[in-house]
C-alpha cells in the first residue's frame, strides 16, 4: 500500500467555500472532487446515482414483467383485452421506454468517461 502524501494549494477563500458547498451538495469530499476532476473520473455522487438508477430500474422491470404476464394470461383466457387492461399495458410500456432512454444516456456518459482514461 502506497503512503499518502499531502498537496497544499493556494486558492481564494471564496473559491474554497464554493468548492466546499459543491462537495456538500454532492455528498463527496473535497479531496475526491479534486482528484476525480484532475483524473477525469466519475464522481462518487454520480456513481451512487447510477447504482440507484439500476436498482430502481430492476425493481420496476420486475413489476412490468409481472403485469405483462398478467395481460397475456387474461388475453389468452378471454381471447380479448379490455380497455382498462390495454390502458395499463400501454402505461407500463411507456415507463419501459423512458427507463431505456435514461439508461442509454447514463451508459453514453459512462462510455465517454471511460474513453478519456
Amino acid at each position: 500500500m502506497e503512503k499518502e502524501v499531502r498537496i497544499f494549494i493556494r486558492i481564494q477563500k471564496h473559491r474554497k467555500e464554493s468548492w466546499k458547498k459543491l462537495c456538500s451538495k454532492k455528498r463527496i469530499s473535497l479531496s475526491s472532487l479534486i482528484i476525480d476532476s484532475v483524473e477525469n473520473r466519475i464522481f462518487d455522487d454520480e456513481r451512487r446515482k447510477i447504482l440507484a438508477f439500476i436498482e430502481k430500474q430492476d425493481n420496476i422491470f420486475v413489476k412490468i414483467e409481472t403485469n405483462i404476464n398478467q395481460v397475456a394470461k387474461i388475453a389468452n383466457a378471454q381471447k380479448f383485452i379490455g380497455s382498462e387492461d390495454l390502458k395499463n399495458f400501454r402505461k407500463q410500456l411507456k415507463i419501459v421506454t423512458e427507463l431505456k432512454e435514461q439508461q442509454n444516456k447514463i451508459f453514453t456518459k459512462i462510455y465517454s468517461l471511460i474513453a478519456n482514461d
Side-chain angles (χ1 to χ4, degrees):
M1 182 101 184
E2 256 184 85
K3 183 177 179 180
E4 292 186 8
V5 295
R6 290 182 179 252
I7 297 175
F8 296 96
I9 60 171
R10 295 175 199 241
I11 59 171
Q12 291 121 354
K13 187 173 185 170
H14 69 87
R15 182 172 281 170
K16 180 182 177 185
E17 293 305 315
S18 174
W19 289 3
K20 287 173 76 175
K21 284 180 187 175
L22 177 65
C23 290
S24 177
K25 181 178 158 187
K26 290 181 168 279
R27 296 183 354 200
I28 60 176
S29 69
L30 185 55
S31 294
S32 177
L33 173 73
I34 294 168
I35 291 168
D36 291 346
S37 295
V38 169
E39 294 181 356
N40 203 19
R41 296 189 324 201
I42 297 175
F43 292 122
D44 288 340
D45 69 313
E46 291 172 333
R47 195 172 286 116
R48 285 190 297 267
K49 287 178 188 176
I50 290 168
L51 293 174
F53 171 76
I54 291 170
E55 184 177 334
K56 177 183 173 185
Q57 184 182 28
D58 188 47
N59 291 337
I60 290 174
F61 281 143
V62 167
K63 291 178 184 177
I64 292 169
E65 289 170 0
T66 301
N67 287 343
I68 289 171
N69 287 336
Q70 289 172 348
V71 169
K73 184 177 180 180
I74 292 169
N76 286 333
Q78 298 177 358
K79 305 296 183 210
F80 75 95
I81 299 176
S83 62
E84 190 62 34
D85 292 327
L86 188 57
K87 182 179 175 182
N88 187 32
F89 184 75
R90 285 184 180 153
K91 182 180 174 183
Q92 298 300 328
L93 289 178
K94 183 178 179 185
I95 292 171
V96 169
T97 303
E98 290 170 358
L99 286 171
K100 287 295 182 184
E101 288 173 3
Q102 288 179 12
Q103 179 185 31
N104 290 341
K105 287 178 185 176
I106 289 172
F107 288 160
T108 300
K109 185 172 185 177
I110 291 170
Y111 292 143
S112 68
L113 289 172
I114 292 171
N116 290 333
D117 285 345

